[in-house]
Amino acid sequence: MSRGVEKQAIYRSDEDRRVFLALLTTTAREHGISLFAYCLMGNHFHILLAIADTPLAISMQKFLTCYSLYFNRVHERSGHVFESRYKAEPCEDLAYLIQLTAYIHRNPVRAGLVAKCADWPWSSHAEFLNPESRILDFSRLEYICDITPEELRTRYLERIENADSDIRPELSVLLKLAASTAGVHADELTPAHRSRAHTNAKRLFIDWASEEGYSDILIASALNCSRAAVSMFRSRNAATS
């Protein structure tokens, strides 16, 4: 994922989004990337992918540079479009893959932009369910996860269909996403790590978990800290927001 500099919008029109997706699919083809999911929001995006021989850093640098050049030219601006280097978190098991896909596609629902995943035109929800998708590539899925595309779609729908507004990501998913956003590892979010990045990750996790309705007891357990520490994080965050 990556976010606009100073949280500014990285898309100002539907044409910007179309160009973004065109550059993404072109980059994927050129570098052997398999796209599994994506979601374009206002000031950030999420992409779930599998790389081939080309290092991810090379592919992403080319992709984001090309889009930044386009964005600055069309909107007559200069400078950075994205706030920093993209954040990347490994997805190493099938359960997390399914949860993460649902989380990515539910971003617009969480933001209150639409009622259901299917209502947002700038995510891969529809492509994910389409066996003939020309954007997503599941040809390597069985090798990576030992599951067929059909089985993956079925399990994904179990989390999405008829419960779009009710499902919530598991705490382990939120923990990994918060850590990735702050640029640290999820297993480092313990009381022993107190750097600014680790603190920011913990605050993000607490905010997101609270928004999803998790209790302070469960949040504290996930962070291996006390319930009082969670309350302290929340009060400090409110004081500085």
Side-chain angles (χ1 to χ4, degrees):
M1 67 87 64
S2 190
R3 192 178 302 276
V5 64
E6 296 181 351
K7 299 183 179 180
Q8 295 179 9
I10 56 176
Y11 318 105
R12 296 183 183 178
S13 67
D14 287 351
E15 180 62 18
D16 289 347
R17 293 179 171 87
R18 283 189 284 268
V19 170
F20 184 94
L21 290 176
L23 290 172
L24 174 62
T25 53
T26 298
T27 302
R29 293 191 191 101
E30 291 178 350
H31 296 280
I33 291 173
S34 296
L35 296 175
F36 287 167
Y38 63 81
C39 185
L40 282 52
M41 297 295 287
N43 65 0
H44 69 283
F45 66 82
H46 293 273
I47 302 172
L48 181 61
L49 55 82
I51 62 172
D53 295 330
T54 304
L56 181 61
I58 293 176
S59 304
M60 288 298 293
Q61 181 182 28
K62 178 179 180 180
F63 165 54
L64 295 180
T65 298
C66 287
Y67 181 74
S68 296
L69 290 172
Y70 155 81
F71 189 83
N72 283 345
R73 174 176 55 81
V74 168
H75 299 292
E76 299 180 342
R77 66 182 300 278
S78 60
H80 296 290
V81 175
F82 299 97
E83 65 179 1
S84 61
R85 187 179 185 272
Y86 64 90
K87 305 297 191 301
E89 176 74 22
C91 178
E92 298 177 332
D93 63 76
L94 180 58
Y96 183 39
L97 174 69
I98 296 168
Q99 294 161 7
L100 189 56
T101 303
Y103 182 88
I104 288 173
H105 289 155
R106 286 191 68 241
N107 258 244
V109 178
R110 283 168 47 83
L113 299 175
V114 292
K116 296 182 178 181
C117 298
D119 296 335
W120 186 249
W122 304 110
S123 83
S124 57
H125 172 76
E127 292 288 334
F128 193 88
L129 299 177
N130 179 12
E132 305 299 326
S133 173
R134 296 184 178 182
I135 299 177
L136 305 186
D137 176 16
F138 296 109
S139 60
R140 297 162 56 206
L141 183 65
E142 290 185 71
Y143 172 76
I144 296 173
C145 297
D146 192 27
I147 190 174
T148 66
E150 293 74 19
E151 292 170 328
L152 179 63
R153 293 185 186 97
T154 298
R155 294 186 58 177
Y156 169 74
L157 279 174
E158 290 174 357
R159 298 191 60 84
I160 295 293
E161 199 168 50
N162 300 322
D164 216 335
S165 61
D166 296 326
I167 63 170
R168 61 181 181 179
E170 295 182 6
L171 284 173
S172 59
V173 175
L174 294 177
L175 196 66
K176 290 181 179 180
L177 288 170
S180 174
T181 301
V184 298
H185 294 291
D187 57 6
E188 296 175 352
L189 299 188
T190 65
H193 292 83
R194 299 181 179 180
S195 72
R196 179 175 296 180
H198 291 97
T199 299
N200 287 339
K202 292 174 186 176
R203 285 176 177 167
L204 280 175
F205 170 69
I206 290 171
D207 285 347
W208 292 346
S210 298
E211 290 174 2
E212 293 291 348
Y214 284 103
S215 68
D216 284 0
I217 294 177
L218 291 175
I219 294 172
S221 177
L223 289 173
N224 193 27
C225 68
S226 67
R227 187 176 179 181
V230 171
S231 298
M232 182 180 66
F233 267 107
R234 187 179 291 109
S235 61
R236 285 182 178 177
N237 194 40
T240 57
S241 61

